Every structure is written in structure tokens, then in C-alpha cells.
Amino acid sequence: MAMALGNMTDPAMLVAIGASLAALSGVPGLFLKGAPDTGQKLATALVALAALAGLSGAFIFFLHGTPVIYTISRSLPFGPCEIGLDHLSAIFILIISLISICCSIYGTGYWPAASNQRTSRKLTFFFGLLTAALVLLVMARDSITFLIAWEVMALSAYFVLTTEDHNPEVREAGIIYMVATHTGTLALFAMFSLLKGAAASHQFSAMTAINPAPPLAAAIFCTALFGFGLKAGLMPLHIWLPSAHATAPSHISAIMSGVMIKTGIYGIIRVLSFFPQPPIWWGITLLVAGIVSAVLGVAFALGQHDLKRLLAYHSIENIGIIFMGIGVALIGQATGQPLLTILGMAGALLHTLNHALFKSLLFLGAGAVIHSTRTREIDRMGGLAKAMPWTAILFLLGAVAICGLPPLNGFVSEYLIYLGFFGGVNTLSGPAVPAMALAAPSLALVGALAVACFVKVFGIVFLGARRSREIESVHEAGWPMRAPMILLGALCIIIGLFPQLVARLLQPTIYSWAPTLVITGQTIPSAAPLGWITVLGLVLLTLGGLLAVDFYRRIKQETVGSSVTWGCGYLKPSLRMQYSASSFAEMIVKLFAGALRPHVEKPDITGPFPQRSRFASHVPEAVLELLIVPFFKAVDERFSTIRRLQHGQLHLYILYVFITLCLLLVWAM
């Protein structure tokens, strides 16, 4: 092994040690069959140590580290293994470490080993392996190591996703995920093969500043967009994501949405760094793809009744926003506009971090609700804020952040991307201008729809009266579940109030991705003044606090009565006579009916004394259920006759081989 071990303060070594601890975290639990709690606690402690090592390594690197690559010699045909640490890797290691420790601690309360002995050991083992694979992936510096880590990540995610494999819905989601992820992996094999041909090496260092012919470069870009877009959940490549996020344990949904899908973002940014002068159509393509994913993602979210499936579609929406930022950065590179490059990439990277924080917070909050109510159906909840005040406040915090409202972190990253749009419209000419002009109102529409969606969610889940007797025994989440949510919520507030702190981490990362920006001297503070955001946030918090105090004082001083709400003319209204997820979003769903294809079952009411009837609505996963599944069913029907050749008779199989050999000999003559 030709690898300098360095010392314990070497940031790359700290991160590597952390990955090793995470990979081994679930091993003790495999042998402690009689003490599942002990195995889970040991695994949580090791994941916590791994996360602290990763966070320490990343912060030390940002303070005074330089990019480093370690080489591990091997005698395999594809050459040595290289791992390393640079600014782009460090940003993602921060995300991986932070979310993994939160989800691991949360899991001890949400999925305790004592009451889940059949599944806890598998879940704990593959959770640690997934965390380690994520770290190795962003540290890989050659295509073979990258693909190995990618496959370990994919398989580990499959096993944690299918924790409740006795459930047919979970098994179906796992199959869809496995087919989709390996389809994307095939695209990555093609992409890295093309890069190997252009650079004559598997090492990323040899791929930097390559200048392949336009057809080859276009093929590399398209395969990268398909492979990494599938993992990221970019619409319409998102087919695996809604069912996987909905059926997985909630802390697994959090790490999948907050971290795993971001490997698609990491991959596309890493590959784009190999091309110092990308063509402008690459940026326009990513920008338009981001617009489509963001708008349709939030539109599909509005039509959902399942709380976790709704959050899954918001992941698709936010992945679209990140791709919009990357598209702006590429357009800036192609046109020689450093302002657009730094605004677009800063917005994309910051939104990657922000989305990891507030989406993990929302999934953990949803998990607390599901853990207490034993249902994911929004229409069966209601009035939970009284019994779960901590969860309600923290979920509301995440909802405000994901809607891009000040003074929380989602506003800052979207603000940077907005500035990129406006800068592009003012300075560019040619085909990029219409895309930039369309992007700004599209992002505004996405924000408005997100607000409508989370008003629906919070109002129906936490406000009003309880809609079902099944949730009468709801209770607040325990501290193992509550503490990670508090940490994530606090970080959403800190970044929203003091974005300058994160800008110091993003600045060297953007310079390392586009070194030409160093020559221009363009910086994030000069491109987007951030000080006023701090002032605005503090003013809003102060006003909000004063209003809350005044409201509390008025309630204490005045006599408060209670009464039932208007029953719409019914003499005996029931708890079910409240706004539902369907009724709240009905108008917006109809506006997007051409894309959402909603299915509605209307009640059959006839005569003066109608019989008992029901109303139901469903927004299908249009791409999967209306396009892909019917296509494969049609293919299966067309080729059904060929299956008759598979009859299990060995002598006929030998005859097939003989006939094939004869035909090949005739063809070769």
C-alpha cells in the first residue's frame, strides 16, 4: 500500500477513520442476538463517533487544509485506487456526517431494537454501511472506486428501504428502486467508459480539463444527466423516489432524501468540473429540466394524501431548484459571465445543504407523527398540535424553511438563484435569455405552491379536530427523537440569520470547481450582499416575538369561550366534516390536471333518500403508472409467444444451441 498514513489531525485521515467506524457500527449487533438494545446503542455510538470524525475532518480542511489524494496500489487491471479530499467533497461530508448522526440517534426512539428484533439488526448494519459508502463515494478519485462505492450505497439503501419486507407495498417499492438504480448505474458505466477513452485513464486527475470532440462530450453529458438524474430524482427520472421515501422507516427516508439523492448532485457537479468550457446548451438543458422538476414536483405534492409521499415529491421539487442553480452556473461559464457562475453554483450548493437540513427535519417530524398515530394518511389525522406541541413547532419550522420564506435558510439559497436569473436576463443575449426569463416566475410559482401545500399539511395534520378515533392516544415524541429535530431546526435558523458563515465555506468550493473565477476576483459577498438578510431576519423574529407576547397577553386577559364550528346546515356535524387533503388542493390539482391525471370516484347520489356512498380521489404516479408500466405490459404481451420456447426440456435446449452454432458457421463462411 503506497498510502501515507499521516497523523490523526490529517483531515482526510479523520474522514477515512470515520467511514471505517460507520461501516463497522452494525457488526456488534449481528453477534448480540440476546441483547438487541446493546447492539443498537453500540451502533449509534459508533455512528456518532464516525460523524464527529467526519465533521472534524471537514472543518479542519476548510480552516487550513489543501486538496490531497492518497493512492492505494493494487494489481487489478484497472490500476490503483485513489481517494482524496477537496472542498467539494468536504461540503458533502459535512452533510453526510450531520444527517447520519441525527438519523442514527432518532432511530433509537423511532425503531427501538427491543420491539423490532426481527428487523433491527439488518437495519442497523446496513445503515452504517450506507453511511460509509456515501463518504467513500465523495472521496473517490477514480471511476472504479466511485462505481464500487456507488453500488455499495445502492445495495445498502435497498436493504434499509425494505426493512419491513413482509409488507407487499414495501417489496414493490424495493423492486422499483432496484430496477431504477441499476438502470442509472448502467448509464454511469457508459459515461465513465467514454471519459476513460477521452482521458486515457480512470483517474479523475487525468480527466480534468479534457477537451473531447463535441459528439463525445455530448454523449458524456447525456449519460451523466441520465445516470445521476435518476439517483437525484429529477423529473421524469424520479419514478423510484415517491414509493421508496414513503415506505421506508422515517429516519431512513430522511437520510435518503437529505443525503443519498444528493450523490446525484455531487456526481453531476464533479463531472461538469472536467469541462472548463461547456457548451451553452448544457446549461440551458439543466435549467429547463430543473424548472420542469420543480414545478411538477410541487404540483404532484399538492395532490397527495400520504404524508411521506407528499414530502417525497417536495424532494423532487427541490432537486429541480438545485438543477436550476447548476444550469445558471453552466450558462455563466459558457458565456464568460463570472457573476452568473458564482451565483448559480453558490445557490445550488447552499440549497443542497439547506434541503438536507429542512427536509430531514420534515421527515423526522412526519416520523414522529406516524410513530404516534400509526398512519400516514393525512385525512385521518387532525388536532395533533395539542398533544404534540414540540413536533408541531419543529414541523412548522421546516415547512417555513422549505417554502423559501425569511428568516430561515431556504430563503437565502433561493435568493442567490433569483439573483442569477435576474443577472442573466440583464447581461445575456441569445438562446439563454428566454430560459432565464422563464425560470424566475417559475421559481416564484414553486414557492407559492409550496406555501399552499404546507398550509394544507400543517392545517389538516396539526390543527382542527381529530378526524379519527384511532388517533385518540397520540403522544409527544421522546427526547431521542426530539433532540435531532431541535438541532436541525436550530441550524435552519442560524443559516437563515447568518448566511455569511456558510458563504465562507462555499467560496473556496466554487473556486475549486471553476478556477478561472479566482482571476476575476468575483466573490459571493460582492455578487450578493448578505448583511441585509441578517437585519431582515432579526427584525422579523423581533416582530414575531412581540406579536406572540401580545397575543398571549390578550388571551390571558379576556374570557375565551368555546363552540362548535358551523356545520354547513347539518344538525349533527361530525369530526369528519372538516377540510380534507383533497378538498383543500382540489382547485390547484384541476389546474395541473393535464400532467397530474387525477382519478376521482364521485358518489352516486340518487333519489330523495340516497344510500350510503363515498367519494375518493387519487393522483397517480403518472410517469410510472401511466407510461412505463403500460409499456412493459404491452411488450410482455407481444413477446408472450416466445416464452413457449422455455419448456424445461434439456434435449430441446441442446437443439437450440446446435441450430445457433450452425447459423453462426453459415454466417462466417
Side-chain angles (χ1 to χ4, degrees), residues 263-331:
T263 59
I265 301 297
Y266 170 81
I268 196 74
I269 292 176
R270 178 67 72 183
V271 170
L272 291 173
S273 70
F274 301 155
F275 299 87
Q277 291 294 328
I280 192 171
W281 70 268
W282 289 14
I284 296 173
T285 300
L286 293 185
L287 181 58
V288 173
I291 293 171
V292 172
S293 190
V295 174
L296 292 183
V298 71
F300 271 99
L302 271 160
Q304 303 306 309
H305 303 194
D306 184 315
L307 179 57
K308 288 179 65 179
R309 188 176 287 268
L310 179 147
L311 294 178
Y313 276 106
H314 277 287
S315 294
I316 297 168
E317 167 217 333
N318 282 272
I319 288 295
I321 295 174
I322 295 169
F323 267 87
M324 291 164 75
I326 299 174
V328 171
L330 278 190
I331 292 172

Side-chain angles (χ1 to χ4, degrees), residues 544-566:
L546 293 175
L547 289 173
V549 170
D550 181 67
F551 181 72
Y552 180 79
R553 181 181 58 82
R554 288 174 179 272
I555 289 179
K556 286 296 183 181
Q557 290 179 351
E558 297 179 6
T559 303
V560 179
S562 62
S563 176
V564 297
T565 58
W566 180 50

